[in-house]
Amino acid sequence: MTSNLKVKVWRGREEGDFATYEVPRLESQTVLDVVTYIQRRVDPSLSYRYACRVGMCGSCAMTVNGVARWTCRTHVSKVAKDGRLEIAPLSNLPVVKDLVTDMSEFFDKWARALGRFKGGTSRKDDFARVKPESLERRAVDAGIECIGCGACYASCDVVSWRPEYLGPAALNRAWTLVNDVRDTQRQERLGAVAGDAGCHACHTLATCTERCPKQLAPTAGIAGLKRLLARTKLEAEA
Amino acid sequence: MRRVNDLRARNHPAWWAFLMHRLSGLVLALFLPLHFWALGQALHGEAALDGFLKFADHSLVKFGEWGLVVLLALHLTGGLRLLLIEFGPWSGLRKNWIAGSVGLAAATGMAFALALIG
Ligand code: SF4
Ligand code: SF4
Ligand code: FES
């Protein structure tokens, strides 16, 4: 493990290009280690984001050899079989500088999908009792571990084609909340995620599900929202 | 500026299944008017239809027909997969259906080719 990695890194803001760096190959090295090496030893002007380094905060996602990944938990051995890496900022988001993207629209869309829990009880009330084996609770479990990394959003073609599309992460969040029996905004939320900017825009390309580092399946939640909306519409008409 | 994805981001079975479904759907949709026109020939009497059917015997047209049958098999099975994903209980991206869909289209293609030769 003494050879060098050839690493191309995106440098610039609106306009930019890839710069090439040589980075020593180390054992158990992650892609984030590689970026950190460049910033600390070669060029301190390189901008990138990370915080937890253990796959919890969701801030370190980048495009690695063309694919959106969480870099802190992506081993070089997995993605750079031939000793080459190409590291770029996430797609589908405005680039601030180098590897840093502006995530505001990503989080604004969570808000637009009513991604915030709103309960109807206070601390004076008793605990809500939700059966772990209930369908709703299991649907919540399947989608709740999202760390907001944006890998799904950056990978989705529909986001590229329709900039107003809420995207897989916001819709996955909405799906966990419509299944939360304590939440009081179910109807409004279903309204917020319907239509051309919402779940009905999804073409089931499933790149989100392929790329989610937490192995969530936003495609499942989006299909669930479509079904639920169809059912509420039918019930309203009946 | 936003970067856009290239094929490296898209290279996975469900994306190729999407592309297959979209392209086969487009070609089939383009073929539909021709199909109705051909049926319409029957309204102009037997001679018109016979004339057309004779034209349809050309090997190039037969090859086109063969392509349509294969596309139809692809589009049909691909569509069933999508319906299962959207309306069935969630059980992954049903990649077995993608393989099945390609396999069935290949089998249909061969059967149709055999019928053409025989
Ligand atoms: S399944 Fe829907 S949300 Fe996910 S990548 Fe495909 S189009 Fe985008
Ligand atoms: S759904 Fe997965 S890929 Fe998308 S933001 Fe959440 S953790 Fe990241
Ligand atoms: S640094 Fe927190 S998820 Fe990678």
Side-chain angles (χ1 to χ4, degrees), chain B residues 52-68:
Chain B
F52 176 75
L53 288 181
K54 213 180 211 132
F55 162 73
D57 261 345
H58 279 297
S59 48
L60 206 68
V61 179
K62 283 277 174 247
F63 179 72
E65 251 175 35
W66 174 84
L68 283 173

Side-chain angles (χ1 to χ4, degrees), chain A residues 32 49-61 70-73 147:
Chain A
L32 186 64
R49 253 194 219 118
Y50 75 96
C52 72
R53 295 178 294 114
V54 290
M56 291 178 71
C57 71
S59 61
C60 67
W70 52 357
T71 53
C72 71
R73 297 202 57 186
I147 55 173

Side-chain angles (χ1 to χ4, degrees), chain A residues 154 157 204-205 210-211 227, chain B residues 3 5 9 15 18 86 95:
Chain A
D157 284 332
T204 317
L205 294 160
E210 285 290 335
R211 300 299 177 229
R227 275 200 302 272
Chain B
R3 298 176 56 82
N5 290 307
W15 192 85
F18 159 79
E86 305 247 301
K95 292 182 189 163

Side-chain angles (χ1 to χ4, degrees), chain A residues 9-18 89 94-99, chain B residues 1-3:
Chain A
V9 180
W10 179 262
R11 301 303 309 269
R13 302 168 198 229
E14 264 99 72
E15 306 273 301
D17 206 353
F18 284 100
V95 179
V96 177
K97 178 176 176 285
D98 302 338
L99 302 172
Chain B
M1 191 219 52
R2 285 152 211 256
R3 298 176 56 82

Side-chain angles (χ1 to χ4, degrees), chain A residues 32-101:
Chain A
L32 186 64
D33 292 336
V34 170
V35 178
T36 302
Y37 178 93
I38 297 171
Q39 203 255 2
R40 300 223 170 133
R41 308 286 179 89
V42 189
D43 186 348
S45 72
L46 175 66
S47 304
Y48 66 113
R49 253 194 219 118
Y50 75 96
C52 72
R53 295 178 294 114
V54 290
M56 291 178 71
C57 71
S59 61
C60 67
M62 300 168 202
T63 311
V64 182
N65 286 355
V67 173
R69 296 185 183 278
W70 52 357
T71 53
C72 71
R73 297 202 57 186
T74 301
H75 279 260
V76 171
S77 57
K78 189 179 159 198
V79 288
K81 297 257 151 52
D82 58 354
R84 280 168 198 279
L85 280 173
E86 183 200 288
I87 308 175
L90 286 180
S91 301
N92 288 343
L93 289 160
V95 179
V96 177
K97 178 176 176 285
D98 302 338
L99 302 172
V100 178
T101 53

Side-chain angles (χ1 to χ4, degrees), chain B residues 66-89:
Chain B
W66 174 84
L68 283 173
V69 169
V70 172
L71 287 182
L72 202 62
L74 274 178
H75 200 73
L76 199 80
T77 42
L80 284 175
R81 167 178 168 261
L82 287 181
L83 287 175
L84 263 180
I85 289 182
E86 305 247 301
F87 293 103

Side-chain angles (χ1 to χ4, degrees), chain A residues 106 110 145-153 168-169 172 208 211-216 218:
Chain A
F106 174 75
W110 280 53
E145 295 288 343
C146 172
I147 55 173
C149 66
C152 55
Y153 187 87
N172 174 73
C208 54
R211 300 299 177 229
C212 173
K214 297 289 290 180
Q215 264 131 34
L216 308 186

